Amino acid sequence: MIKWIIILLIIAAAASLLGMPALAGAAATGARILIGIVLIIFLLIVLGVFAVT
């Protein structure tokens, strides 16, 4: 999952350097969505640990 976030961020950086704002925006949005999913999963794990203890 984190590998895909890094790949999307690299694509966004390369697209912005090459002058492709649409591709850069799409890759950045994809990375944001994946980061959000990772954060939600992390929060669920943390809250689950606190709920058990």
Side-chain angles (χ1 to χ4, degrees), residues 26-53:
T29 303
R32 279 193 206 107
I33 292 169
L34 285 176
I35 290 169
I37 292 170
V38 169
L39 285 176
I40 289 170
I41 292 171
F42 178 74
L43 283 173
L44 286 174
I45 291 170
V46 170
L47 289 175
V49 169
F50 278 121
V52 169
T53 55

Side-chain angles (χ1 to χ4, degrees), residues 5-30:
I5 294 171
I6 294 169
I7 290 171
L8 283 171
L9 290 175
I10 291 170
I11 291 171
S16 63
L17 286 175
L18 294 172
M20 298 184 218
L23 179 60
T29 303

